Amino acid sequence: MTTPRTAPGGFPVVGIIGGGQLARMTAPPAVGLGVTLSVLAESESASAAQVIPSSPVGDHTSVEDVVEFARRCDVVTFDHEHVPPEVIAAVQAAGVRVEPSPEALLHAQDKLVMRRRLTELGIPCPDWAHVTSRSDLEAFGERVGWPLVLKTPRGGYDGKGVRVVTGPDDARDWLDAVEAAGAGGTDSEHGATMADGLLAEAMVGFTRELAVLVARSPSGQAAVWPVVETVQTDGICTEVLAPAPDLDPELASRASESALRIAGELGVTGVMAVELFETRDGDDRPTYLVNELAMRPHNSGHWTIDGSVTSQFEQHLRAVLDLPLGSTRARERWTVMGNVLGGDYPELYATYRHLMARDPAMKFHLYGKDVRPGRKIGHVDVSGDDLDDLRARARHACDYLQGVITE
């Protein structure tokens, strides 16, 4: 471990727990801000470790590893939300500032905690119930109707830890794990703890999925980006349209106000994504329900790297360091982000060169990951005035990189 605490010139050292692509994409704005980054990486070949010189290898669940890492930093933040609360508490006990705080982060780590708090705040959410037994699930299903959505409170992402169930038999293994929780029962497929039961939610008939990205600093300054539309394929976000096309202005305003309120009420520091369902109310007017929270830079905000005056990664650094926040204004009328998923062709460089020549205005962001089918390995951004053209260009690039098309 060689990173000193506080770099030359008095500029701070920001530590990021986790060496994934979010940490990797924080490196360019850190250079511009004069901030030194250090990353606690999962391995020497982790995505962020390839581009950040100070990337010691450690286990994010190990108090010893994380505290040793944190002592060389002025502030610590996160690449993901899977750092155990007891580990974060140990970092704070060592006198290192953690942003967002464990009290705020818990609302992104535990879906039951999140649902309870948002309900207390009067934030629109799907009808939900805390399920600890088969009879609980049956009673909720009888009340809201089948099918319904069942979630593990912790550990789920990209569609994992989520099931659509038509009856209790569809959740037999999870219900068995809950009943075994006294013996430390877990779901072997996802590794998410079942100790506190499950979250059941009514199936929402939504028009589309939206997201609001907000940033907040410790001194209370906050900023919000335009509401975007997110397009999901098999539980994975494959496209983001910024701003969301044909979005009712009043709905956009209310959704943004809710995101800012959630950030303030939970005491969030840094970037937070609020994922939404756009629905219709009883009078057939557009409205929304909050689906999930993420307290870190988020896939729905990757468009900001090229499409916004201030990217979510620069803004996250500004926020955790309590620097004045940057403008969230869009640079162009439209920006489309397309996620690049791995396919059957592991060699990307020639493909990448071809696409650069074909579309010089497109921006490419690859994460340095081994290619595996269905794995997120990068994204593309393209901006301009013609949304249909932008979508077609982004889809072509993603399909070409994945190997779905060859010309």
Side-chain angles (χ1 to χ4, degrees), residues 52-67:
I52 297 173
S54 176
S55 297
V57 174
D59 182 354
H60 68 271
T61 66
S62 165
V63 169
E64 182 179 352
D65 287 358
V66 176
V67 169

Side-chain angles (χ1 to χ4, degrees), residues 68-79:
E68 179 185 359
F69 167 77
R71 284 190 170 127
R72 306 300 181 99
C73 306
D74 295 289
V75 60
V76 168
T77 188
F78 307 94
D79 175 79

Side-chain angles (χ1 to χ4, degrees), residues 114-123 125-126 128:
M114 179 265 293
R115 278 284 174 256
R116 290 188 185 106
R117 184 65 175 130
L118 294 187
T119 299
E120 289 172 359
L121 294 174
I123 301 294
C125 295
W128 65 277

Side-chain angles (χ1 to χ4, degrees), residues 175-187:
L175 293 169
D176 288 346
V178 170
E179 292 177 5
T186 60
D187 169 45

Side-chain angles (χ1 to χ4, degrees), residues 142-286:
E142 289 174 5
R143 179 164 68 83
V144 302
W146 303 95
L148 53 80
V149 180
L150 199 60
K151 300 179 179 181
T152 59
R154 292 174 177 260
Y157 65 96
D158 282 348
K160 299 178 176 66
V162 179
R163 289 184 185 177
V164 175
V165 297
T166 59
D169 288 345
D170 291 345
R172 184 178 300 166
D173 56 336
W174 282 8
L175 293 169
D176 288 346
V178 170
E179 292 177 5
T186 60
D187 169 45
S188 58
E189 181 182 355
H190 302 289
T193 180
M194 302 283 186
D196 295 326
L198 300 166
L199 172 65
E201 296 180 342
M203 183 75 78
V204 175
F206 57 87
T207 305
R208 58 178 167 173
E209 295 187 62
L210 306 171
V212 186
L213 205 68
V214 62
R216 183 178 179 275
S217 67
S219 56
Q221 185 186 10
V224 64
W225 284 267
V227 180
V228 301
E229 178 179 347
T230 64
V231 179
Q232 315 291 320
T233 305
D234 297 327
I236 298 176
C237 178
T238 52
E239 186 182 43
V240 172
L241 313 178
D246 302 316
L247 183 63
D248 180 77
E250 182 183 356
L251 175 59
S253 177
R254 287 192 286 118
S256 298
E257 289 172 1
S258 287
L260 289 165
R261 182 173 175 231
I262 291 168
E265 293 284 355
L266 302 188
V268 172
T269 293
V271 167
M272 179 181 69
V274 182
E275 298 179 68
L276 310 169
F277 295 126
E278 181 179 356
T279 64
R280 312 294 292 191
D281 66 16
D283 296 319
D284 200 34
R285 295 173 300 191

